[in-house]
Amino acid sequence: QVQLVESGGGLVQPGGSLRLSCAASGSIVDIGDMAWYRQAPGKQRELVASVTRSGRTNYADSVKGRFTISRDNAKNTVSLQMNSLKTEDTAVYYCNAGILEMVGGRSGVYDRWGQGTQVTVSS
């Protein structure tokens, strides 16, 4: 089974930067869109940024100009560079990807999620 493993969360002061990384591993045939979502306490999970296989990106209005999503197709990774962080960016961040997998000799597309990494922006 394919797994997504995130890293890079932590505590940072307002105005600071963090870089999140996510690596996919397992019986991967190909990976389609990759994305970062976040969920703050008491709120619904929301899309932060996404990137297609060809590199086209999309951002939530709240992070445009501050966050940058990128991917490495050869390494099956996606990253999120977060600059000028605000207290309202505090949330658990989740990596997401649509993955074509080989399971039991048959291929199928699965929507996979990472376990989440905490980002806390506080002075």
Side-chain angles (χ1 to χ4, degrees):
Q1 184 172 341
V2 172
Q3 288 186 321
L4 299 181
V5 179
E6 300 121 335
S7 60
L11 173 64
V12 65
Q13 292 186 341
S17 298
L18 278 177
R19 184 176 180 86
L20 305 182
S21 296
C22 173
S25 62
S27 300
I28 298 169
V29 177
D30 199 7
I31 301 178
D33 292 356
M34 304 185 82
W36 288 94
Y37 286 75
R38 67 186 180 187
Q39 188 166 18
K43 294 187 177 181
Q44 289 189 329
R45 190 173 297 188
E46 63 175 357
L47 175 67
V48 176
S50 64
V51 58
T52 66
R53 200 181 192 291
S54 62
R56 183 183 303 175
T57 58
N58 178 59
Y59 295 94
D61 288 342
S62 59
V63 307
K64 282 181 181 177
R66 300 189 297 122
F67 291 10
T68 302
I69 189 171
S70 60
R71 65 187 286 172
D72 186 328
N73 293 330
K75 296 182 179 179
N76 293 330
T77 60
V78 62
S79 298
L80 185 69
Q81 177 66 42
M82 304 185 294
N83 298 328
S84 302
L85 282 160
K86 304 176 181 180
T87 55
E88 51 263 45
D89 294 318
T90 295
V92 178
Y93 284 70
Y94 297 90
C95 174
N96 170 260
I99 302 178
L100 178 62
E101 304 177 22
M102 186 62 70
V103 180
R106 303 181 66 177
S107 62
V109 178
Y110 297 87
D111 189 38
R112 297 296 186 190
W113 291 87
Q115 80 285 357
T117 185
Q118 177 69 47
V119 171
T120 302
V121 185
S122 175
S123 56

